[in-house]
Amino acid sequence: MQIKSKLPRVGTTIFTVMSGLANQVGAINLSQGFPNFNPSDRLQQLVYEHMQRGDNQYSPMPGLLPLRERIAEKMERAYGRPLDPDTEITITAGGTQAIFCAIAAFVHPGDEVILIEPCYDSYRPSVETVGGTAVPYALSAPDYRIDWAAVGRLVTPRTRMLCINTPNNPTGTLLREADMLAISRLLKNTDILVMSDEVYEHLIFDSEPHASALRYPELYERSLCIYSFGKTYHNTGWKTGYCIAPPELTREFRKVHQFNVFSANHPMQAAFADFMADPAKYLGLPEFYQRKRDVFQQAMANTRFRAVPCSGTYFQLYDYSRISAEPDLDFCKRLTTEFGVAAIPVSSFFSNGRDDKVVRFCFAKTEDMLERAGELLARV
Ligand code: GLN
């Protein structure tokens, strides 16, 4: 039997590969992005209470209404946009599933999707699964600055979507107001949609605001904005997120979502709805993660790695060109097996595997683990 792969160049994701290797050799795992600490006890307790109360069957397809109402309140407070929970918010089985549905609902075979690279590794396979073509625009370290005129030159009559991500995984950079206005101008009078991946919305440092697509009316009109509870409440394994989009876009999004997962975890949604009534539960996040970034940078100060500036997310890039010329994947594997710290090679975030000798560390970890990682990496 001949199997005709839809993704012939795709293997197992780098997150699974590196976490697997880290577990196998007992290394500190700073590769795949997830916290090594638990979500709030109260939140866990709420999940259990809802399970006991009987919230164990399917939730409504778009998600529990009380949760969508809490999200609408939060977004209006944070970004000044009133939202209709009925027609603009859909709860998903995590950010990655929302990204897939946002792409699958709108990208037709032969359509082009502009990706700004380095970018999260699910974007391109999502585009290709539905027969689209990814058109990458590659940025360079250390500032990864975007020239929107150059992005504009990639637009063709087949362009269906532009994928943006702020704060950015893996670079730790932000899109700012000028970027969002430039995107609005660039796409004005076109039918091009925007997939705005904002899953790290609360992980922004040095008191900067989050330039959400929700803040810009002309941009929001054409946007599917993606969020993640996992990043905000320290429970990436609960796989719960959401998509916010204007009613016409949400209608199409849900057509795909309903036949992809139908609905997300019911007891988790019910617990989040209760928990979100208190904004204090997420408003402290920038300081919480900024401190971790600083502790990690401090722990790395005695190493030969060179830090790339990090303004957001829980990822910190380091240039290792002073240490080695080996390919970044080999270097990451060697760091894991010989030095006991796992990282992600940034070449995995480029379509063409470009290797700038930069690796990504996740600092969503307890301070003792970050300090220990710094000690181990000082030996490299
Ligand atoms: N978003 C997280 C990361 O970039 C993990 C994603 C995953 O494991 N699929 O590390």
Side-chain angles (χ1 to χ4, degrees), residues 121-297:
D121 72 341
S122 86
Y123 298 176
R124 185 184 179 109
S126 300
V127 170
E128 292 178 347
T129 300
V130 296
T133 304
V135 177
Y137 169 67
L139 306 178
S140 296
D143 60 349
Y144 296 100
R145 211 186 55 78
I146 301 174
D147 173 354
W148 291 108
V151 174
R153 289 193 285 277
L154 298 176
V155 171
T156 76
R158 298 162 85 109
T159 308
R160 170 68 44 222
M161 187 177 270
L162 165 69
C163 295
I164 57 174
N165 171 216
T166 184
N168 188 274
N169 175 15
T171 64
T173 56
L174 306 179
L175 296 179
R176 297 186 168 83
E177 176 143 300
D179 297 295
M180 302 315 259
L181 296 176
I183 299 168
S184 297
R185 275 196 302 274
L186 187 66
L187 302 185
K188 203 181 167 88
N189 302 324
T190 72
D191 293 325
I192 301 171
L193 301 177
V194 172
M195 191 284 286
S196 184
D197 175 351
E198 304 183 12
V199 299
Y200 299 99
E201 65 178 323
H202 295 298
L203 279 59
I204 299 189
F205 313 130
D206 310 309
S207 306
E208 285 209 59
H210 172 49
S212 170
L214 296 178
R215 289 186 195 271
Y216 305 95
E218 281 187 22
L219 187 55
Y220 178 62
E221 262 172 37
R222 55 179 75 247
S223 293
L224 295 115
C225 306
I226 312 292
Y227 302 90
S228 160
F229 289 108
K231 317 297 187 280
T232 302
Y233 295 112
H234 317 313
N235 42 30
T236 60
W238 291 14
K239 295 302 301 175
T240 321
Y242 49 104
C243 172
I244 299 184
E248 327 63 89
L249 299 184
T250 291
R251 209 172 302 128
E252 295 302 316
F253 178 91
R254 287 181 185 170
K255 288 183 190 176
V256 173
H257 168 78
Q258 68 185 346
F259 294 124
N260 183 224
V261 292
F262 181 68
S263 63
N265 282 311
H266 190 162
M268 272 72 175
Q269 291 185 61
F272 282 129
D274 293 348
F275 202 66
M276 277 184 81
D278 179 5
K281 299 286 193 324
Y282 58 83
L283 291 180
L285 275 180
E287 296 74 27
F288 177 77
Y289 274 114
Q290 181 166 335
R291 175 162 169 86
K292 291 191 184 298
R293 175 197 66 177
D294 295 346
V295 166
F296 185 53
Q297 287 186 355

Side-chain angles (χ1 to χ4, degrees), residues 4-19:
K4 198 164 171 232
S5 176
K6 282 196 136 184
L7 303 171
R9 286 171 311 167
V10 169
T12 302
T13 105
I14 191 68
F15 306 117
T16 300
V17 170
M18 292 311 304
S19 277

Side-chain angles (χ1 to χ4, degrees), residues 15 32-33 120 169 200 315 360:
F15 306 117
Q32 190 178 24
Y120 184 48
N169 175 15
Y200 299 99
F315 302 115
R360 188 196 84 173

